[in-house]
Amino acid sequence: MTVYFRILSYLHEYRFRLIVACLCAAGVAGMSGLYAWLVQPVLDEIFIAKDQLLLTVLPLVILGAAALKGLFAYGQAYLMSYVGNRVVAEVRQQLFGHFLRMSLPFHQKHSSGRLVARVINDVNEMANAVPNVIRDLIQQGLTLLVLTGVAFYQNWKLATALLVVMPVSTYAIVKIGKRLRKLAARGQESMGDMASSLKEGFAGIRIVKAYGGEHVEQQRFAKGNTAYLRAVMKSAQLAALTSPLLEVIGIGGIAFIVWYGGFSVIDGQMKPGEFFSFLAAMFMAYAPLKKLASANVFIQRAIAAANRVFEMLDTEHEFVHDRGRATLPAISRSLEFQNVSFRYEGSDDPAIAHIDLTVEFGEVIALVGKSGSGKSTLMSLVPRFYDPSEGRILIDGLDLKEVTLASLRAQIAIVSQDTVLFDESVRANIAYGRPNASEEEIIQAARAGYAWEFIEELPNGLDTLIGENGVTLSGGQRQRLAIARAILRNPPLLILDEATSALDTESERKVQAALAELMKNRTTLVIAHRLSTVQHADRIVVLDEGRVVEAGIHHELLRRNGVYTRLHQTQFHDVPAASTLP
């Protein structure tokens, strides 16, 4: 019931349209009841009493009732569809926005394919059900109520006896509904598995083809596909059973009516018109009862989907846990790591341990070390993708946990080796961090990032669509767009994660010059794998097994003959000759 009420809470904003729709539904129910009631005067007054005036008037009444019923049905169907679809669109938008605000660990735990399935498939289940279900529950419920009223009006004793059938029908509907809900939840889980397999297969299509993995991917997809098929077929089996089961129960009740009512008419206890009006009401009541049973199938699927959707919406996003209340002023002094340690969830060993480091404003600090030494983890703590397990990080003397996430991240730009671009225009990708930037500012950023020369050659210049993750561009072009995006943002704190790794020699030379301009008068943290790119940093910090083991400038570190020296020798002196490579 909690889920029912939660779905209904979304309807409050549309209460006026809902009230009008309910009035239209009442009109449809009233006209259906009128049809059943008119059976009595048609039989008793026209066919038995032979009233010619009524014979003239009654067809006009029936025609008017049909016209009104059609008008009411149109208004009710349109308004219910409007309300239902607006509610579903609101839920879909809310769910996507919620996912965007979830923390990085959440996204690492849940595959993007399964999250896409929640936004698309689960909400679609609600979309398929909500407009039709709301309409049927109100319209068919009112119709059933009115027709039952007509039956009681004609013969309350017979109608009361017939009510014995209702608990039997209700019990059958409830039992089938519970099973349908479980099957729907199982099917939606399988749909999430399929979506995950699809996304990974398409995203890694180069590797799939290079390694001949088409058959492997087909098998992965087949697991989810088969599980989904089983759940769907079991649901279809139960749904198909609902209608015949209710028909047997309903016809059993009607058979009793014919038997008991026939005796009542023969004995003179009922007029023929009363009996046939009662019988018509019962026959007409069967249709809304059947539709309500069918609506139950959609309701159970919608409830299973809504449970999954609300489960995600009830998961607290990172901004809920953001205790920061102060707005971070423009960074002007220093960035400090004070005894900072961090351990990933589920890991016993710290990724970084007891880091003490102070970075003055305007310094260029390079972090170097072997893979797994903690460079990327340390940098992920600065924009608070994670919070330290121990210690604290200060900017201009303020603990990062004391400032809002929005004001912190507004002063940071990141250029990583894994360039992320969106299936939008070149203009939108460069202006991603500053959507209101003028065209002149965008062009200046593109020139500074040495991207303008190839942008001019694109079919539509800045308005050229670049495809998913910039698939139509070369690796170097994608990297230069990412750098132009950071230049336009103009942050006081810049994080470069091997930002020139995808560039050829000529492009790297150009971008290094652009980065040199970009790094002026701002704090820059550089994660470096190639030592040749950081030899002119103000300081080089060497990490090994999550700890700072050395710090200094390039020549000082070489003279110490420590970890940095060994890294340098590996890259520049101990590379095997080409003839010895396998």
Side-chain angles (χ1 to χ4, degrees):
M1 292 304 297
T2 303
V3 178
Y4 284 108
F5 287 127
R6 188 162 179 180
I7 293 174
L8 291 175
S9 69
Y10 286 91
L11 302 177
H12 180 73
E13 183 181 346
Y14 310 101
R15 58 190 179 279
F16 176 74
R17 287 184 174 86
L18 203 57
I19 290 170
V20 175
C22 288
L23 292 175
C24 289
V28 172
M31 293 304 105
S32 299
L34 181 61
Y35 286 162
W37 180 81
L38 285 174
V39 171
Q40 180 183 359
V42 167
L43 192 61
D44 288 342
E45 303 301 329
I46 295 178
F47 288 102
I48 296 177
K50 303 185 186 306
D51 188 332
Q52 292 187 357
L53 177 61
L54 195 60
L55 179 60
T56 305
V57 173
L58 209 54
L60 296 176
V61 173
I62 294 172
L63 185 60
L68 283 174
K69 183 178 180 181
L71 184 63
F72 286 138
Y74 168 77
Q76 188 257 3
Y78 173 76
L79 290 171
M80 284 299 183
S81 293
Y82 177 89
V83 171
N85 286 303
R86 287 298 294 264
V87 166
V88 167
E90 183 180 336
V91 171
R92 182 181 287 117
Q93 191 68 35
Q94 185 180 356
L95 184 61
F96 178 63
H98 190 78
F99 283 154
L100 291 179
R101 290 172 177 80
M102 294 303 292
S103 65
L104 198 60
F106 172 88
H107 284 280
Q108 291 172 337
K109 189 181 298 182
H110 296 82
S111 75
S112 56
R114 289 186 176 87
L115 297 183
V116 168
R118 296 282 174 115
V119 176
I120 303 299
N121 300 319
D122 289 353
V123 178
N124 277 350
E125 282 290 348
M126 296 176 65
N128 292 334
V130 170
N132 297 324
V133 166
I134 293 175
R135 182 191 65 208
D136 285 343
L137 286 178
I138 295 175
Q139 179 180 313
Q140 306 304 332
L142 287 174
T143 301
L144 185 61
L145 186 63
V146 169
L147 291 171
T148 304
V150 172
F152 269 92
Y153 174 77
Q154 297 295 359
N155 192 311
W156 67 270
K157 292 181 180 179
L158 192 57
T160 302
L162 193 63
L163 287 180
V164 176
V165 175
M166 298 301 294
V168 179
S169 301
T170 303
Y171 177 78
I173 291 173
V174 170
K175 290 293 289 183
I176 291 174
K178 287 182 178 179
R179 180 61 178 159
L180 281 171
R181 190 183 309 174
K182 290 180 181 178
L183 289 171
R186 191 185 305 168
Q188 286 149 11
E189 287 289 341
S190 300
M191 180 63 76
D193 293 338
M194 280 196 294
S196 182
S197 297
L198 278 172
K199 184 183 182 302
E200 290 177 2
F202 292 150
I205 191 65
R206 290 177 180 269
I207 298 299
V208 171
K209 289 188 173 298
Y211 284 82
E214 290 89 348
H215 182 64
V216 174
E217 294 304 314
Q218 279 188 307
Q219 287 182 324
R220 286 183 61 204
F221 182 78
K223 290 181 182 178
N225 196 18
T226 303
Y228 179 72
L229 177 62
R230 286 173 182 164
V232 167
M233 290 311 299
K234 287 183 179 179
S235 296
Q237 184 181 28
L238 283 174
L241 178 64
T242 302
S243 181
L245 182 62
L246 290 178
E247 185 165 350
V248 170
I249 295 171
I251 294 300
I254 290 175
F256 170 77
I257 292 172
V258 172
W259 175 77
Y260 182 83
F263 273 111
S264 298
V265 171
I266 292 172
D267 290 344
Q269 298 176 23
M270 288 181 70
K271 291 181 179 180
E274 290 177 357
F275 172 68
F276 282 103
S277 177
F278 181 93
L279 192 61
M282 288 297 95
F283 270 113
M284 292 177 68
Y286 175 68
L289 185 63
K290 199 172 179 182
K291 286 187 178 179
L292 285 173
S294 298
N296 184 56
V297 174
F298 289 104
I299 287 173
Q300 300 311 320
R301 290 175 182 169
I303 293 301
N307 274 323
R308 285 163 53 84
V309 169
F310 293 146
E311 177 190 359
M312 289 290 102
L313 288 175
D314 291 338
T315 305
E316 293 182 337
H317 55 70
E318 63 178 347
F319 291 94
V320 171
H321 296 287
D322 181 16
R323 295 186 292 105
R325 294 292 176 265
T327 299
L328 180 66
I331 300 172
S332 59
R333 297 199 306 276
S334 63
L335 167 66
E336 299 176 64
F337 297 84
Q338 296 184 350
N339 195 33
V340 172
S341 299
F342 177 76
R343 181 181 290 103
Y344 286 102
E345 184 179 350
S347 174
D348 296 330
D349 300 320
I352 55 173
H354 309 296
I355 301 293
D356 286 296
L357 178 66
T358 299
V359 183
E360 299 298 334
F361 182 78
E363 267 195 300
V364 177
I365 301 295
L367 299 177
V368 301
K370 296 181 297 184
S371 295
S373 59
K375 304 183 296 296
S376 296
T377 298
L378 185 61
M379 289 304 94
S380 294
L381 300 179
V382 177
R384 285 191 63 194
F385 293 151
Y386 306 95
D387 284 326
S389 304
E390 299 175 21
R392 58 181 189 158
I393 303 174
L394 309 176
I395 288 184
D396 291 352
L398 289 173
D399 191 324
L400 293 191
K401 292 182 179 180
E402 296 176 0
V403 301
T404 62
L405 281 172
S407 65
L408 168 65
R409 292 173 182 173
Q411 301 195 52
I412 299 174
I414 300 175
V415 180
S416 66
Q417 57 183 334
D418 299 321
T419 307
V420 176
L421 298 173
F422 300 94
D423 188 10
E424 292 278 357
S425 65
V426 172
R427 181 195 308 274
N429 274 280
I430 294 177
Y432 190 77
R434 282 184 57 196
N436 298 322
S438 67
E439 181 163 335
E440 182 180 350
E441 290 173 319
I442 293 172
I443 292 174
Q444 286 178 350
R447 290 184 187 278
Y450 287 85
W452 184 246
E453 58 185 21
F454 76 80
I455 292 175
E456 283 187 303
E457 297 175 358
L458 295 175
N460 298 310
L462 286 172
D463 296 315
T464 303
L465 296 176
I466 61 174
E468 184 179 0
N469 206 28
V471 68
T472 62
L473 304 177
S474 69
Q477 289 171 336
R478 290 197 297 270
Q479 199 78 335
R480 281 183 276 172
L481 277 188
I483 292 169
R485 179 168 59 196
I487 291 172
L488 182 63
R489 189 171 175 85
N490 193 28
L493 178 56
L494 180 66
I495 297 175
L496 304 176
D497 185 357
E498 198 60 61
T500 62
S501 63
L503 303 181
D504 55 46
T505 304
E506 179 62 20
S507 296
E508 181 176 0
R509 183 186 61 78
K510 294 177 180 178
V511 174
Q512 287 287 8
L515 289 175
E517 290 296 320
L518 175 63
M519 290 187 291
K520 287 182 179 178
N521 302 317
R522 74 186 79 244
T523 304
T524 305
L525 305 174
V526 182
I527 300 174
H529 302 287
R530 290 186 296 172
L531 301 185
S532 60
T533 62
V534 296
Q535 292 183 4
H536 300 293
D538 294 324
R539 256 189 306 160
I540 298 173
V541 176
V542 185
L543 280 80
D544 189 40
E545 296 184 353
R547 297 175 182 271
V548 174
V549 292
E550 293 176 329
I553 62 175
H554 173 68
H555 297 295
E556 288 178 353
L557 293 175
L558 284 180
R559 285 196 295 269
R560 293 180 189 176
N561 200 29
V563 174
Y564 183 80
T565 304
R566 291 196 295 274
L567 288 172
H568 191 272
Q569 288 174 345
T570 299
Q571 290 192 19
F572 294 100
H573 298 293
D574 296 340
V575 178
S579 60
T580 67
L581 293 175

